[in-house]
Structure formats: C-alpha cells, structure tokens
Amino acid sequence: MYDDNAQSHSRVPPQGETSSKVKKRKTSKDEKDMEQVMVAIQDVASTMRKGNLTFERTFTRLPIPEEQVFRLVDDIEITPRLQTPAYLYLVRNQDLLRALIGVPMERCKELLLGIMSDP
C-alpha cells in the first residue's frame, strides 16, 4: 500500500529554513569578500603613501650635501654674521641653491646677496 502522506513527512527542511541558511551563507561570503576588498584597498593606499614619500624625498633633496652648502657660503666670502642666514636661506630654497651652483664663483656673492634681499 502506498501512503500519500509519507512523502510529505520526509526529512527535507521547510523552504523557509533552507532559504535562511542560504542567505546566511551568502551574507557571510559577501562580508568576507568585502573584508578582502577593504584590505586590498588599504594595501594600495599604503603603497601610494610610501610612493609619495619616496617621490617627495627624491625631489626635495638638495643638489649638494648641507656641509658643502655651508662651505660654498664660506668660500664666496659672505660676512660671518650673514653666513648662517645665507646657509639657511639656501637650504630652504633648493631651486635658488641650484641656480647659485650654476653661476661662476666670482659672481656668487652678488647673486646670493641679491636673492636674499628680494622680498
């Protein structure tokens, strides 16, 4: 004899329960995927910050070491009371230091005193 009700009482979970478990798994997978994306974005951002620092260090480097800047100021015979301000001025203004390096030594003092007095 065949019982029609026997099939309806099998161990298959109700539709709502299965759907809930599937949604939970999907949400959990979505959250895991989102975490991975966020970690990847943070890694990219960190790498970009490091690259920016490297770029800034490369392009803000003085054309000559600081010791040589001071020797240059001394060699062009800037008066002692103006040597420290001249040194600091050149270290802070790298483009002007580059320009000064390109000028013949006999004209450096005139150039340096001129650019330091410009507002």
Side-chain angles (χ1 to χ4, degrees):
M1 251 215 236
Y2 185 140
D3 184 6
D4 288 334
N5 291 333
Q7 268 187 335
S8 65
H9 295 296
S10 65
R11 290 295 287 141
V12 175
Q15 181 64 27
E17 185 180 335
T18 303
S19 176
S20 173
K21 285 182 181 178
V22 168
K23 283 182 186 176
K24 232 180 207 179
R25 270 188 247 126
K26 183 172 171 71
T27 301
S28 177
K29 184 180 181 330
D30 289 347
E31 288 172 357
K32 195 179 266 186
D33 290 346
M34 183 60 77
E35 281 182 42
Q36 289 175 338
V37 168
M38 292 302 293
V39 167
I41 289 171
Q42 289 172 348
D43 289 346
V44 168
S46 175
T47 301
M48 289 176 73
R49 280 190 290 274
K50 288 177 186 173
N52 287 343
L53 285 174
T54 301
F55 179 81
E56 287 174 13
R57 286 182 188 138
T58 301
F59 286 97
T60 59
R61 225 178 256 165
L62 293 174
I64 58 175
E66 285 85 351
E67 300 85 29
Q68 287 182 0
V69 174
F70 196 85
R71 268 187 256 140
L72 174 66
V73 170
D74 191 41
D75 289 347
I76 60 177
E77 301 174 354
I78 296 289
T79 59
R81 75 175 178 82
L82 291 179
Q83 283 182 345
T84 300
Y87 167 79
L88 293 173
Y89 184 83
L90 291 172
V91 170
R92 290 182 189 136
N93 297 285
Q94 298 165 26
D95 291 337
L96 297 175
L97 173 57
R98 284 184 182 89
L100 188 67
I101 291 170
V103 172
M105 188 60 104
E106 61 273 4
R107 307 238 0 241
C108 284
K109 182 176 182 178
E110 175 189 347
L111 176 63
L112 181 55
L113 292 175
I115 60 176
M116 285 178 60
S117 64
D118 284 344

